[in-house]
Amino acid sequence: VRRSELTPEQVGEIVDTATGYATGFESVLRKYEGLTADELEELLLDNNVERCPGCDWYCESGELLDDEDNLVGCRDCRPPEPEE
Ligand SMILES: [Zn+2]
């Protein structure tokens, strides 16, 4: 399948799969034969999904940023908040 041939429903399913499982990215590539890793990466970016630099899990971009828009990783990868 080519990226341009994907229906919005398929794109939604792809995003859900990629963000829902640690191996979601690979699962999508296996399921949608013909879609390259680069295309998938781009498709996810277009849907505001990026890979966490800490655990390689795909998350919504906003979840990877702190209040100052620094890339800090997903909730599981951030250093614990200092207690006040
Ligand atoms: Zn993470």
Side-chain angles (χ1 to χ4, degrees):
V1 66
R2 287 167 180 275
R3 196 195 151 182
S4 55
E5 294 168 353
L6 294 171
T7 65
E9 287 75 23
Q10 286 174 315
V11 170
E13 195 202 328
I14 287 170
V15 170
D16 281 351
T17 304
T19 56
Y21 307 90
T23 57
F25 191 89
E26 286 74 23
S27 302
V28 172
L29 288 180
R30 268 199 305 274
K31 179 163 178 188
Y32 293 91
E33 222 172 300
L35 193 68
T36 67
D38 282 348
E39 285 174 324
L40 177 53
E41 192 110 16
E42 206 181 288
L43 182 154
L44 292 172
L45 265 181
D46 287 348
N47 288 278
N48 288 317
V49 170
E50 283 181 73
R51 187 175 7 208
C52 170
C55 61
D56 287 347
W57 198 293
Y58 281 82
C59 307
E60 288 204 24
S61 305
E63 289 181 23
L64 301 176
L65 303 175
D66 68 9
D67 296 340
E68 277 129 37
D69 283 350
N70 296 309
L71 188 66
V72 289
C74 72
R75 222 163 289 151
D76 291 339
C77 293
R78 292 179 195 205
E81 301 263 334
E83 296 202 28
E84 295 191 3

